[in-house]
């Protein structure tokens, strides 16, 4: 009887854990050359799958969350902070054939075993991998000081071109002019967590300026472990422009 009870408890614990790590649903968008699957994973981590190519943005989460993305073709990293550049997570993936796309500051910290297929991009530079155009965009805080959380030129946001569709991943940034000047963005991933990136008001103001068709709030947990007000963000955006769709997805499964 005791053994049966123990088995029941163990099964319950495993079931509970499985429930906790259930990812948000997979979204998609059509291009003129195939569909892009979009999988929110954790905090600043997103997966894109297009025509058989898997791209991971800032993989930094429990290994179990990458069950369907264990062998990425491309890993793109925005910055050196641990919630973006996480060697424990990277080591848990099968990266023997993975190409890394990183800013110079990350390149310097990347172990040699990952440098066989390495593309280093500075702000403003671009590269094409598997038919995906990857352009590095500035990401930084105001005021532009040496002790800022994110200094200009250190990390990259990215614009990814999948055929006729463009996806912007902001990285850790405030509502900088380079963001507001973006054009023809189909999907934007916007950080909003204090004190490191943007408030809901800053993010909404920027989105209203550059007018992406769809916006995902992501990276939205604050220093005090609270979450940014995504409903407030959505209302501000859509009260100004109803054509911008705000997709609220769970980037903290199990939390």
């Amino acid at each position: 009887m005791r053994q049966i009870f123990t088995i029941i408890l163990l099964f319950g614990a495993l079931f509970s854990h499985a429930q906790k790590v259930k990812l948000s649903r997979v979204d998609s968008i059509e291009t003129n050359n195939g569909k892009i699957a979009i999988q929110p994973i954790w905090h600043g981590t997103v997966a894109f799958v297009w025509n058989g190519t898997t791209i991971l943005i800032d993989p930094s989460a429990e290994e179990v969350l990458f069950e369907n993305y264990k062998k990425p073709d491309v890993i793109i990293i925005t910055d050196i902070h641990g919630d973006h550049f996480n060697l424990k997570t990277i080591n848990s993936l099968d990266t023997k054939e993975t190409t890394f796309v990183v800013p110079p500051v990350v390149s310097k910290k990347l172990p040699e075993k990952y440098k066989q297929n390495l593309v280093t991009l500075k702000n403003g530079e671009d590269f094409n991998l598997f038919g995906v155009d990857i352009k590095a965009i500035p990401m930084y805080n105001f005021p532009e000081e040496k002790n800022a959380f994110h200094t200009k030129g250190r990390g990259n946001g990215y614009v990814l071109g999948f055929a006729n569709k463009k996806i912007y991943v902001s990285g850790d940034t405030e509502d900088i002019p380079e963001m507001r000047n973006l054009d023809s963005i189909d999907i934007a991933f916007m950080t909003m967590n204090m004190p490191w990136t943007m408030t809901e008001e800053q993010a909404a103001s920027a989105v209203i300026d550059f007018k992406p068709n769809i916006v995902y709030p992501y990276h939205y947990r604050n220093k005090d472990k609270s979450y940014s007000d995504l409903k407030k963000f959505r209302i501000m955006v859509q009260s100004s422009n109803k054509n911008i769709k705000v997709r609220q997805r769970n980037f903290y499964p199990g939390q």
Side-chain angles (χ1 to χ4, degrees):
M1 187 70 178
R2 183 179 297 174
Q3 287 180 325
I4 294 173
F5 183 67
T6 302
I7 290 170
I8 291 172
L9 285 177
L10 178 60
F11 179 81
L14 289 172
F15 179 79
S16 176
H17 183 65
Q19 289 292 95
K20 286 181 180 179
V21 298
K22 185 177 180 181
L23 296 177
S24 179
R25 74 188 192 202
V26 178
D27 292 319
S28 65
I29 182 173
E30 292 283 354
T31 76
N32 60 9
N33 184 26
K35 183 183 294 185
I36 310 166
I38 302 166
Q39 176 67 77
I41 294 180
W42 177 268
H43 191 56
T45 306
V46 187
F48 302 114
V49 181
W50 180 62
N51 290 340
T53 296
T54 297
I55 298 174
L56 286 180
I57 306 292
D58 287 343
S60 179
E62 292 182 45
E63 182 178 354
V64 68
L65 296 178
F66 295 92
E67 183 179 354
N68 297 320
Y69 307 97
K70 286 284 291 182
K71 195 174 180 180
D73 298 287
V74 182
I75 288 178
I76 298 176
I77 298 174
T78 60
D79 198 19
I80 55 173
H81 291 160
D83 55 340
H84 301 278
F85 176 43
N86 188 319
L87 285 175
K88 181 180 178 181
T89 299
I90 292 171
N91 289 337
S92 74
L93 302 172
D94 181 351
T95 58
K96 289 188 292 291
E97 298 179 8
T98 302
T99 299
F100 286 79
V101 180
V102 305
V105 69
V106 173
S107 176
K108 293 175 183 177
K109 294 179 177 291
L110 201 63
E112 287 298 321
K113 65 179 179 178
Y114 296 126
K115 292 186 177 181
Q116 294 181 0
N117 298 301
L118 176 65
V119 177
T120 302
L121 296 181
K122 297 178 182 178
N123 291 174
E125 294 182 333
D126 60 82
F127 198 82
N128 188 287
L129 281 170
F130 302 100
V132 180
D133 292 316
I134 304 171
K135 184 171 183 179
I137 304 296
M139 48 151 275
Y140 57 93
N141 292 116
F142 295 123
E144 294 180 46
E145 297 176 345
K146 290 182 179 180
N147 62 348
F149 291 119
H150 308 93
T151 53
K152 188 173 183 179
R154 188 185 76 193
N156 295 329
Y158 294 94
V159 172
L160 309 179
F162 298 86
N164 65 324
K165 299 297 183 182
K166 292 197 294 185
I167 297 179
Y168 169 58
V169 180
S170 73
D172 284 5
T173 187
E174 290 193 50
D175 54 330
I176 57 177
E178 294 90 341
M179 176 195 295
R180 290 178 178 271
N181 291 334
L182 290 171
D183 185 46
S184 301
I185 298 296
D186 295 285
I187 297 177
F189 285 81
M190 299 289 288
T191 56
M192 57 186 81
N193 67 329
M194 296 305 291
W196 300 293
T197 62
M198 290 181 278
T199 63
E200 298 92 340
E201 290 83 0
Q202 287 176 302
S205 176
V207 164
I208 291 164
D209 248 13
F210 72 89
K211 303 178 182 67
N213 295 328
I214 299 168
V215 59
Y216 285 80
Y218 86 130
H219 196 289
Y220 51 78
R221 188 165 64 180
N222 300 307
K223 186 176 182 179
D224 64 2
K225 305 301 182 183
S226 67
Y227 297 97
S228 295
D229 190 336
L230 304 189
K231 181 179 179 181
K232 176 182 177 182
F233 168 77
R234 175 176 54 81
I235 290 171
M236 285 188 290
V237 170
Q238 294 189 327
S239 64
S240 178
N241 188 337
K242 292 183 179 179
N243 294 321
I244 299 175
K245 297 178 182 178
V246 178
R247 288 182 176 175
Q248 294 178 219
R249 300 293 184 260
N250 181 17
F251 277 87
Y252 303 92
Q255 297 296 301

